Amino acid sequence: MKRSYKLQVLFTSIGLIAICLIIMILVVNFSGSKKEDTNGIIKNSLTDENDTLKLTGKLPISDFVVKTKDVLTFDEGVVDYVGFNVTSQGYNGDFTIFVDDCNEDGDENIIDSTYIKVMVTDSENNLLSSTLNGPVTSYDDLKVYKDKSDKKIAFIDSINSGTQKEYIVKTWVSNSMLADPNKSYCLKVSVE
């Protein structure tokens, strides 16, 4: 009887080891197929000439007006925007569109950043970072990454290798501010 018990323990142990090996193989195969390839490159069409947005305080406007009208209908300095594309070469994963304050330190004619609104759309003017009836986030309320606290996150998206996406970043002065044509604000757009 002792011999039968030993054989039963041996076969049970072998069976459990086989089941564990099968589970490990399945886990490795399934997790490996979903792994992102982040070794590629993402490029964007932003340059030093078109990555800066400049506003004046001459005509603060409502979020709804900017959401529903084409940016070309606004005067310069009232709504500023930059259109650009992001292209992936061998990269599958997330990327971030940032905005960063580029005002001169100590300038007294800078608009308070709580009045600066930032919105991202696609090239067809479809809202990405806001909804039609929802509020648009102000520059101050945009989130940051711990390791990049100087840049604000305007939008996070993902891209697959060999594809291209187009975006428009728009900025304007909120109508909660009183008009002041002597004040201005500057933002730089970047993609990482």
Side-chain angles (χ1 to χ4, degrees):
M1 208 150 156
K2 289 183 179 182
R3 186 173 187 144
S4 169
Y5 178 73
K6 287 182 182 180
L7 282 175
Q8 188 177 14
V9 169
L10 178 68
F11 287 130
T12 304
S13 298
I14 291 172
L16 287 174
I17 291 171
I19 291 172
C20 288
L21 285 173
I22 291 170
I23 291 172
M24 286 175 48
I25 291 170
L26 291 173
V27 167
V28 168
N29 284 339
F30 283 117
S31 67
S33 65
K34 294 181 182 180
K35 186 177 177 185
E36 290 183 350
D37 180 12
T38 57
N39 294 329
I41 300 171
I42 58 169
K43 295 183 177 182
N44 65 73
S45 61
L46 291 168
T47 64
D48 286 339
E49 289 80 35
N50 74 350
D51 68 351
T52 304
L53 304 170
K54 295 184 179 182
L55 295 172
T56 65
K58 66 182 177 182
L59 182 62
I61 54 177
S62 74
D63 297 354
F64 187 75
V65 170
V66 178
K67 288 179 185 182
T68 56
K69 287 191 165 196
D70 188 302
V71 290
L72 298 176
T73 61
F74 297 103
D75 291 338
E76 186 176 328
V78 173
V79 175
D80 202 358
Y81 70 96
V82 59
F84 61 96
N85 61 52
V86 175
T87 307
S88 170
Q89 296 175 346
Y91 176 83
N92 293 307
D94 294 342
F95 63 92
T96 304
I97 299 171
F98 290 103
V99 288
D100 186 18
D101 173 339
C102 58
N103 297 296
E104 298 285 330
D105 288 337
D107 187 354
E108 295 178 10
N109 290 321
I110 295 175
I111 298 169
D112 186 328
S113 57
T114 58
Y115 297 115
I116 303 301
K117 297 291 191 134
V118 178
M119 181 175 67
V120 180
T121 69
D122 65 12
S123 61
E124 303 293 319
N125 208 33
N126 296 313
L127 301 170
L128 298 176
S129 64
S130 180
T131 59
L132 186 58
N133 295 321
V136 175
T137 306
S138 72
Y139 178 76
D140 276 1
D141 293 334
L142 292 173
K143 299 197 181 317
V144 297
Y145 290 126
K146 288 180 184 178
D147 60 338
K148 296 179 196 276
S149 59
D150 58 327
K151 296 180 177 182
K152 302 273 191 160
I153 302 167
F155 188 66
I156 300 171
D157 203 356
S158 61
I159 195 165
N160 293 323
S161 177
T163 59
Q164 176 176 303
K165 292 187 171 188
E166 296 181 4
Y167 301 92
I168 300 172
V169 175
K170 302 175 187 178
T171 188
W172 65 96
V173 179
S174 169
N175 63 347
S176 60
M177 183 187 122
L178 295 174
D180 186 347
N182 297 320
K183 293 197 172 200
S184 63
Y185 202 85
C186 175
L187 287 173
K188 267 196 172 306
V189 180
S190 62
V191 176
E192 295 179 27

